[in-house]
Amino acid sequence: MSAFSQRENALATKVVGFYPENKDEPTHPSDIMLYNPLNGSLQAIMDGTVITEYRTGLVSAIASKHLANPTSKILAILGSGVQCTGHFNALSLLYNFDDVRIWNINIQSAEIAAKKLGKPCRVCTTAEEAVKDADIICTVTSTSTPVLNKDWVKPGCHINSVGAVKPKWQELESDLMRSSVVYVDSKEAACQETGDIIISKCEIYAEIGEVINGQKEARWHETTVFKSVGKLSHKKYIFIKYLNKLIYLYSQL
């Protein structure tokens, strides 16, 4: 993943792998290289895994700020890896949750995550139990088949989905995708990379950057899905400024 910013005079590329069977190592190991855009000399090599954890959770927090009920009190996280931690920390910058439910197919992993994050996190034995009456749901799994069904989700819930990273993989049931107002980080990337969009053939209402820039409506009174594939449209400068501000706040935790 490469990017150039003339405004910031920055040239960078991120090299990322995907090893879903990893247990003691990250499933998405990555490094970020920063270059001098004038002569191509390497300026820095950074740990892309840590930066990705921060960035992904914070983008979901940005989407939630606009698409979730502002009085949200119940958070459900399906998945218990690094993105569970990243999403909990990022969303806690914006919301004071009374109840945080964590579910993973491996209950022991969910228990470790809940203990690490502390109150108000608790473990649920099923995904359906975890999402019951939840105001915000985050699906951060490595599953290839849906773990979240339409019938489990209360009307007006907001869902952040960052898994299903391949065209034939799904985290969310197709009926749920088609019945929700769907937002993405990048339409082009989402339509090529994630089965949640491709298989369901759902309509994409907007990119989240269009909402932040005031070009599209934040329909938070309805059930909303933010599908994140880790890429941003290059025209969403206000989104980048907002993200940088949240990254700073996150770093102070």
Side-chain angles (χ1 to χ4, degrees), residues 1-2 13-17 28-33 35 48-49 52:
M1 301 177 182
S2 300
T13 190
K14 174 181 173 181
V15 178
V16 59
H28 293 72
S30 65
D31 296 287
I32 298 174
M33 276 84 57
Y35 300 92
T49 304
T52 298

Side-chain angles (χ1 to χ4, degrees), residues 182-184 186-188 190-191 197 202-207 216:
V182 177
Y183 299 78
V184 296
S186 165
K187 288 182 180 179
E188 180 181 8
C191 289
I197 300 292
C202 65
E203 177 184 353
I204 297 174
Y205 174 70
E207 292 181 347
K216 287 293 186 73

Side-chain angles (χ1 to χ4, degrees), residues 54-235:
Y54 286 11
R55 183 258 182 213
T56 305
L58 289 167
V59 169
S60 290
I62 291 172
S64 299
K65 177 177 173 62
H66 291 272
L67 303 178
N69 189 318
T71 62
S72 293
K73 291 295 183 181
I74 301 176
L75 170 66
I77 305 176
L78 306 186
S80 58
V82 296
Q83 284 304 330
C84 173
T85 303
H87 277 69
F88 172 77
N89 287 336
L91 286 162
S92 294
L93 293 171
L94 303 176
Y95 300 94
N96 183 21
F97 294 110
D98 293 332
D99 189 9
V100 178
R101 298 90 167 266
I102 299 174
W103 171 84
N104 190 19
I105 193 169
N106 183 329
I107 296 298
Q108 184 178 11
S109 176
E111 291 173 344
I112 292 172
K115 184 177 180 179
K116 174 183 176 182
L117 296 176
K119 293 183 179 180
C121 299
R122 62 185 179 90
V123 175
C124 293
T125 56
T126 67
E128 182 177 4
E129 176 192 355
V131 304
K132 180 178 174 59
D133 296 324
D135 301 302
I136 300 175
I137 301 171
C138 298
T139 57
V140 293
T141 73
S142 58
T143 185
S144 59
T145 57
V147 294
L148 184 60
N149 294 341
K150 174 186 173 183
D151 292 343
W152 303 347
V153 177
K154 79 171 185 179
C157 175
H158 170 64
I159 303 162
N160 298 303
S161 172
V162 303
V165 296
K166 294 186 177 182
K168 294 184 179 180
W169 287 17
Q170 290 179 279
E171 272 193 320
L172 311 185
E173 185 185 52
S174 291
D175 284 348
L176 175 58
M177 293 295 294
R178 289 192 291 263
S179 63
S180 303
V181 184
V182 177
Y183 299 78
V184 296
D185 45 7
S186 165
K187 288 182 180 179
E188 180 181 8
C191 289
Q192 294 176 354
E193 298 181 15
T194 175
D196 281 328
I197 300 292
I198 297 168
I199 296 172
S200 71
K201 296 182 173 62
C202 65
E203 177 184 353
I204 297 174
Y205 174 70
E207 292 181 347
I208 192 62
E210 294 177 301
V211 176
I212 295 169
N213 291 341
Q215 297 167 297
K216 287 293 186 73
E217 183 182 0
R219 295 164 58 179
W220 64 269
H221 290 92
E222 304 174 62
T223 302
T224 54
V225 170
F226 172 61
K227 186 65 204 182
S228 172
V229 295
K231 297 180 180 179
L232 298 178
S233 172
H234 70 284
K235 296 180 180 179

